[in-house]
Amino acid sequence: MMRRCCSYLLIVVNFVVISCSRPPDLVGIDNPEITVASVETATRHKIFMATTRSATEALGAFYSDRRSPELALTSVDVSIPPNHVLGNLERPNRMPPNPRTEFAIVNPTVYETEKSFVASVNVALQRLPRNERYILLFVHGYNNTTSDSLLRLAQFVEDTNYQGVAVLFSWASAAQATKYVYDMNSALIARPLLADLGRIFGNTNAEGYDIFAHSMGALLAMETARDMARIGQLDRLGRLINIVLASPDIDIDLFRAQMAQIDNKFDKFFVLLSQDDNALGFSRWIAGGVPRLGSADSSELGELGVTTIDLTAIQDSTSGSHSKFAGSPRVVQSIGRGLNSSKDFAGNGTYNLSDFLAYLPIRHLDN
């Protein structure tokens, strides 16, 4: 017991140190000497964003850690450097970024109306072939700034070679390791606005969309799914394809209750877990020792009707044990194959992640 307490204490100390040494925000900061536009070999991704954060004038921040009662709709362009290495996030430690060797975020745009946001998303969808006009909705986790989550999604899109339109749902994380409870409350407060974004997706020309939620973002996604299921609105239009929970920071008993309330209203759930997840060890300590879904034994989840992918054996993540979905080259590529290549054209036009499982040489449980 003493050894376990000491281990959790070390995790807390590490989180605080990491939080204090966070790299600078970089939304809208271009390099006047080496502009993003001048680096022709860089790759650029338009990332749409819906956020429950309040706007800020702070340099590079775009949106703050303060909660807003309204949903703001925006977009940015993220530049990926030509020297990018699969699974890495080459983030600058000082401003301005060098787009030849580092990620950069430029062209922040705020849409004044829902109609203008939908129109811009539709333009991006229109550039894609029919049967490929899909949206990937990414919900970030605990201890994230706006820059953190935009960069992570852009890196994920690049390394999966995702072919659709990427949308970030950014809730008001304080981006401080010591404010775990603030973040949890911010995530819960955001539930109706995440549901509202689902309605907005229904007004686009998207043929379908996946939800990919990381860490505490998985709690937000599941609570919203449960709320919508209870009023008969979960996947009302039949466009929701998969819900993928990566390293979900959810009390395992709460997850059982969520799945019971969702029942058979939606059944394409995937859980990426790892029993060596240090961040979830911290969460478990905060929660008084209650196990977290993302570090559970996959055999415990067999009766819940979810597909469980156990990443414990994966040790090549550059982003640590909590972000193997993006930091491990073979995992991020396998997710890309699943998202891009497993369309069921002979069926109802939807697709699943069965190919994803086939490419991972690790233990999984498929129900």
Side-chain angles (χ1 to χ4, degrees):
M1 179 62 72
M2 180 63 70
R3 182 177 298 174
R4 179 177 296 176
C5 290
C6 290
S7 176
Y8 288 156
L9 181 58
L10 285 173
I11 292 169
V12 173
V13 171
N14 287 335
F15 264 68
V16 171
V17 170
I18 291 170
S19 184
C20 291
S21 59
R22 184 183 300 279
D25 292 317
L26 63 157
V27 179
I29 300 178
D30 206 348
N31 190 319
E33 297 182 2
I34 311 169
T35 64
V36 165
S38 71
V39 184
E40 296 181 359
T41 52
T43 305
R44 282 177 280 278
H45 296 288
K46 179 177 283 295
I47 303 294
F48 292 92
M49 181 173 74
T51 183
T52 63
R53 298 175 183 268
S54 294
T56 178
E57 297 296 325
L59 183 65
F62 200 20
Y63 286 87
S64 72
D65 61 350
R66 291 179 293 111
R67 302 159 181 158
S68 171
E70 298 179 350
L71 192 66
L73 302 170
T74 71
S75 69
V76 299
D77 293 328
V78 181
S79 174
I80 315 293
N83 66 325
H84 171 64
V85 176
L86 186 71
N88 285 9
L89 205 170
E90 295 87 358
R91 180 172 181 170
N93 289 314
R94 60 182 181 179
M95 294 291 99
N98 181 348
R100 291 174 179 165
T101 59
E102 298 168 330
F103 279 64
I105 305 175
V106 296
N107 301 328
T109 301
V110 176
Y111 300 96
E112 297 298 333
T113 65
E114 179 184 315
K115 183 177 180 180
S116 61
F117 176 79
V118 168
S120 189
V121 170
N122 281 340
V123 168
L125 289 167
Q126 189 65 32
R127 296 192 180 106
L128 302 170
R130 289 189 180 276
N131 297 318
E132 294 184 17
R133 294 172 182 170
Y134 289 87
I135 288 174
L136 175 66
L137 173 61
F138 183 83
V139 187
H140 68 77
Y142 154 69
N143 195 21
N144 269 239
T145 65
T146 304
S147 292
D148 293 338
S149 49
L150 285 169
L151 291 170
R152 177 58 75 196
L153 176 53
Q155 179 253 319
F156 183 72
V157 168
E158 173 72 10
D159 290 351
T160 57
N161 192 31
Y162 180 68
Q163 298 301 304
V165 174
V167 181
L168 170 68
F169 186 83
S170 182
W171 48 275
S173 166
Q176 296 182 40
T178 55
K179 293 192 174 182
Y180 183 89
V181 175
Y182 178 90
D183 273 21
M184 179 176 289
N185 287 330
S186 290
L188 295 175
I189 290 168
R191 287 174 294 180
L193 294 178
L194 178 56
D196 199 37
L197 181 59
R199 178 190 58 78
I200 293 172
F201 282 174
N203 294 329
T204 71
N205 296 328
E207 296 165 338
Y209 64 96
D210 292 287
I211 297 174
F212 196 104
H214 180 227
S215 188
M216 194 176 285
L219 171 66
L220 168 55
M222 286 300 299
E223 284 290 284
T224 305
R226 184 197 63 178
D227 290 348
M228 298 303 290
R230 291 173 66 184
I231 60 174
Q233 294 297 305
L234 180 60
D235 195 26
R236 181 176 59 86
L237 299 178
R239 297 190 197 178
L240 177 58
I241 312 303
N242 301 290
I243 296 178
V244 183
L245 309 177
S247 306
D249 188 359
I250 306 176
D251 180 309
I252 194 166
D253 293 326
L254 174 60
F255 184 70
R256 288 191 179 95
Q258 291 166 337
M259 290 299 294
Q261 292 174 46
I262 291 171
D263 194 23
N264 61 355
K265 299 176 182 66
F266 186 79
D267 61 358
K268 294 180 181 177
F269 288 93
F270 293 79
V271 178
L272 280 62
L273 57 83
S274 185
Q275 293 175 40
D276 64 345
D277 192 320
N278 290 330
L280 294 183
F282 167 71
S283 301
R284 180 171 181 169
W285 178 74
I286 289 287
V290 179
R292 316 314 287 171
L293 175 64
S295 57
D297 187 321
S298 60
S299 62
E300 298 179 47
L301 308 179
E303 77 281 5
L304 296 180
V306 300
T307 300
T308 306
I309 304 97
D310 188 341
L311 302 180
T312 303
I314 298 295
Q315 297 296 320
D316 63 347
S317 172
T318 61
S319 299
S321 57
H322 191 52
S323 297
K324 292 181 180 181
F325 77 94
S328 167
R330 56 176 169 164
V331 171
V332 76
Q333 286 183 309
S334 295
I335 294 173
R337 294 185 185 104
L339 291 174
N340 292 321
S341 303
S342 57
K343 295 181 177 65
D344 179 16
F345 294 114
N348 58 8
T350 65
Y351 60 99
N352 56 54
L353 297 180
S354 58
D355 286 355
F356 165 34
L357 297 175
Y359 281 105
L360 282 175
I362 52 182
R363 182 164 57 95
H364 66 267
L365 179 66
D366 191 355
N367 292 284

